[in-house]
Amino acid sequence: METIIVSACLLGDKTRYDGKTNYDPLIEKVKENYNIVPICPEVMGGMSIPREPTELINGFPYLKSGKDVSSNFNKGTKQVVNIVKYLKVKKAILVDRSPSCGIHKIHNGYFNGVVINGQGFTTQRLRELGVECFTLNEFCEKYLNENEEK
């Protein structure tokens, strides 16, 4: 069975900035067909749960209060990269709009709820390594439907 990384909040872990989860029951289909390694770059980088919202400003992560948390994001991303390299992971299911895991969208950096096209901090690094990054729905459409047809 192939090993993939998945945003921990999609699996039901309360790792979001607000202490909530992004659990989606669709993840259960993925768990039946893949070995899952949960990741949360922000928590892996030493950030607390709950924590202040973070947005990327000119590519750098800042808390709403203005504190630069690049060191946390770098540390968490490095840990994720180590997992990917060690386990030879080629695919990731991540949460869009996240400052770490955004696939297509991130918040605009003004903490006003506006979402723009962009990638999360960790997603950028994963793509540089050749890891395919997907939202849960994209992954299921591409890989699970193909598997069911075989």
Side-chain angles (χ1 to χ4, degrees), residues 1-2 4 6 10-12 23-37 93 136 139-140 144:
M1 218 184 287
E2 183 178 0
I4 63 173
V6 176
L10 281 173
L11 296 162
Y23 178 76
D24 187 322
L26 192 53
I27 198 67
E28 300 305 323
K29 287 180 72 175
V30 177
K31 287 165 67 174
E32 292 171 11
N33 294 282
Y34 293 87
N35 291 320
I36 303 292
V37 177
I93 301 175
L136 179 57
F139 185 88
C140 289
L144 292 186

Side-chain angles (χ1 to χ4, degrees), residues 30-69:
V30 177
K31 287 165 67 174
E32 292 171 11
N33 294 282
Y34 293 87
N35 291 320
I36 303 292
V37 177
I39 56 117
C40 179
E42 294 170 36
V43 174
M44 293 166 79
M47 297 183 81
S48 65
I49 306 167
R51 58 190 169 275
E52 235 183 294
T54 305
E55 293 189 11
L56 299 181
I57 302 171
N58 297 320
F60 296 96
Y62 286 88
L63 295 176
K64 188 174 184 178
S65 63
K67 180 182 178 192
D68 181 339
V69 287

Side-chain angles (χ1 to χ4, degrees), residues 69-83:
V69 287
S70 292
S71 62
N72 298 93
F73 273 58
N74 283 321
K75 180 181 177 186
T77 296
K78 184 176 181 182
Q79 288 185 35
V80 171
V81 165
N82 287 341
I83 290 167

